[in-house]
Amino acid sequence: MASNEDSIRLEVTRYRPDGDSEPQLQEYDVPLRREWTVLDGLNHVKDEVDTTLSFRWSCRMGICGSCGMNVDGEPKLTCATFLSDYAPGPIRVEPLSNFPIIRDLVVDIDDFMQKLPKVSPWIIRDDDVTEIDGEYLQTPEELDAYKQFSMCINCMLCYAACPVYGLDPEFMGPAAIALAERYDLDSRDHGARERLDVLIEHEGVWGCTFVGECTTVCPKHVDPAGAIQRYKLKAAKENVKAFVLPRFLQ
Amino acid sequence: MTTPDVTEPRVHRPTMSTWWWTKKRSYFVFVMRELSSFFIAWFVAFLLVLVAAVGRGDAAYQDFLDWAAAPWMVAINLIAFAFLVLHVVTWFSLTPKAMDVRIRGEKAPAAVIIASQYVGLAVVSAFVLWLVTR
């Protein structure tokens, strides 16, 4: 089928681990419908053209964070990226950058899954109060302090956009640090000291050179770059305090 | 029944090209911003040489002026100045990301933080100008 007004060409990365030594591009023409997203195009291919194409998706409404891919070189949630915005095409659909490719558009995110618990992204208390004793009450202002950083859906677009992570996979990365900041800013949490010990390392916040692309590509407006820079200020203050103050005052 | 061989899946690990920063405008601006730090260091050194020349008297100061007026020196300083401007503009515009300024409980708009830095720069520049021309 040739490209015409009612169709658009997808140039999709194929990588079959049992046969291919390198990823290759395969072209598919899909109907260009006003309400269709790139994910709808891929699902059309999967259902009607080539059942062997592999990609991740689930909710189709920008909540689950599974359908992240590079669309024309930009990390995007494919369920929120419309074909018509790229007309007349072609549209290059590739797996997210900076991750090992398992098959076609599916990447291996194990590295992130191992890093995430290191920043203890949960509420840590230093008293014996538990939720059984009642709710942890919070004012709207206290909620507002961290709410933006709590919107992360772990879609990995920020890791795909981050050249620091691409060059140094040891770097903790944008989403994990933004989540650490989210709990640090939570009035119910007492775990800031614990997280700082992890993030004050070179692979923590200091790896970041403030490219800022993580924030640009974030579909939930979390602003990981902002979180990391604020964390750097905090870490620098701790360093100065450790240098200037006697131990019992720190 | 035999157990099938379990092997690690063969993943493809993409490598980043040395020229990754030329592929996207934002990456290019980032690298130029990082590069601009060298030119900031250059101006600091230039200023120290100027101060040292002033300290050594009129003749040394005149020698410094002749050296600074050489065409190659003017060319270097013009390039350095362009990077200086890039440095100032990019870092000023990034400041609101690092600073969570709250005015009466409300988050201060980014524009206010950026504008206040330019006001600060203007005030300091005016003071330096007054100091050297009075």
Side-chain angles (χ1 to χ4, degrees):
Chain A
M1 185 169 79
S3 272
N4 57 42
E5 256 181 65
D6 302 313
S7 80
I8 191 161
R9 180 157 292 178
L10 300 182
E11 296 173 349
V12 182
T13 299
R14 299 302 310 269
Y15 173 68
R16 283 145 294 205
D18 36 8
D20 299 343
S21 55
E22 287 283 313
Q24 298 156 12
L25 282 182
Q26 190 161 345
E27 293 179 345
Y28 301 102
D29 290 325
V30 298
L32 177 58
R33 304 209 176 121
R34 200 173 62 89
E35 71 281 8
W36 268 25
T37 62
V38 173
L39 181 61
D40 290 321
L42 291 173
N43 273 325
H44 171 83
V45 173
K46 179 94 177 164
D47 294 342
E48 309 286 340
V49 186
D50 185 349
T51 54
T52 66
L53 181 65
S54 300
F55 52 97
R56 283 198 186 104
W57 63 281
S58 181
C59 77
R60 294 185 295 177
M61 52 194 284
I63 295 295
C64 75
S66 2
C67 69
M69 296 167 211
N70 274 13
V71 179
D72 273 1
E74 289 285 328
K76 296 269 187 192
L77 288 183
T78 49
C79 71
T81 306
F82 286 87
L83 292 173
S84 52
D85 289 338
Y86 293 83
I91 309 174
R92 182 71 65 94
V93 186
E94 296 163 305
L96 288 177
S97 313
N98 304 337
F99 292 99
I101 304 167
I102 296 175
R103 185 184 185 93
D104 296 344
L105 298 162
V106 180
V107 292
D108 181 0
I109 58 166
D110 273 1
D111 180 54
F112 173 70
M113 299 311 284
Q114 279 166 17
K115 278 175 179 156
L116 191 55
K118 288 187 185 162
V119 300
S120 311
W122 49 78
I123 287 179
I124 297 170
R125 301 284 294 187
D126 58 7
D127 52 25
D128 296 331
V129 180
T130 69
E131 52 275 34
I132 298 163
D133 300 313
E135 307 135 57
Y136 303 130
L137 294 178
Q138 200 163 51
T139 66
E141 288 75 30
E142 285 168 338
L143 170 68
D144 191 45
Y146 70 84
K147 195 175 173 197
Q148 180 186 20
F149 300 127
S150 74
M151 306 306 273
C152 175
I153 56 171
N154 296 349
C155 65
M156 304 286 99
L157 301 197
C158 53
Y159 282 73
C162 175
V164 177
Y165 181 65
L167 294 164
D168 175 17
E170 296 297 312
F171 176 47
M172 194 63 81
I177 302 176
L179 268 171
E181 182 72 355
R182 172 252 175 276
Y183 283 94
D184 274 11
L185 292 172
D186 193 319
S187 60
R188 302 165 295 179
D189 180 85
H190 304 142
R193 180 76 242 176
E194 215 169 288
R195 291 185 199 101
L196 190 70
D197 287 341
V198 176
L199 291 176
I200 208 162
E201 298 296 323
H202 177 71
E203 293 77 24
V205 286
W206 299 116
C208 168
T209 49
F210 207 173
V211 183
E213 275 298 284
C214 50
T215 292
T216 310
V217 301
C218 179
K220 305 310 261 184
H221 311 293
V222 170
D223 191 9
I228 298 172
Q229 307 326 308
R230 286 170 64 173
Y231 218 105
K232 282 182 188 168
L233 270 184
K234 203 156 48 182
K237 272 188 213 156
E238 285 300 317
N239 275 343
V240 170
K241 242 165 63 181
F243 188 67
V244 174
L245 292 180
R247 183 156 294 199
F248 67 93
L249 282 177
Q250 285 172 28
Chain B
M1 202 178 122
T2 54
T3 317
D5 280 349
V6 179
T7 50
E8 280 287 301
R10 219 165 52 87
V11 297
H12 175 75
R13 294 179 191 279
T15 47
M16 261 173 94
S17 139
T18 312
W19 303 101
W20 61 270
W21 51 277
T22 57
K23 304 217 166 79
K24 206 160 158 184
R25 189 177 172 274
S26 56
Y27 290 163
F28 180 75
V29 172
F30 157 71
V31 169
M32 290 300 114
R33 189 192 79 202
E34 297 293 279
L35 194 66
S36 68
S37 304
F38 285 108
F39 294 97
I40 302 297
W42 161 256
F43 270 130
V44 170
F46 188 79
L47 193 67
L48 289 175
V49 175
L50 164 67
V51 171
V54 170
R56 287 206 309 275
D58 275 352
Y61 178 58
Q62 200 53 52
D63 284 348
F64 173 84
L65 288 185
D66 292 342
W67 175 68
W72 63 272
M73 203 56 190
V74 173
I76 289 175
N77 276 341
L78 278 176
I79 295 166
F81 185 72
F83 274 96
L84 184 90
V85 171
L86 179 78
H87 195 87
V88 169
V89 171
T90 50
W91 279 115
F92 277 13
S93 66
L94 286 173
T95 309
K97 288 256 174 264
M99 296 188 71
D100 182 39
V101 181
R102 301 211 168 232
I103 303 170
R104 277 183 246 107
E106 294 286 315
K107 201 170 163 49
V112 171
I113 298 174
I114 295 170
S116 60
Q117 295 177 101
Y118 282 104
V119 170
L121 178 67
V123 169
V124 172
S125 303
F127 174 73
V128 172
L129 190 68
W130 169 79
L131 200 66
V132 295
T133 54
R134 81 198 158 100

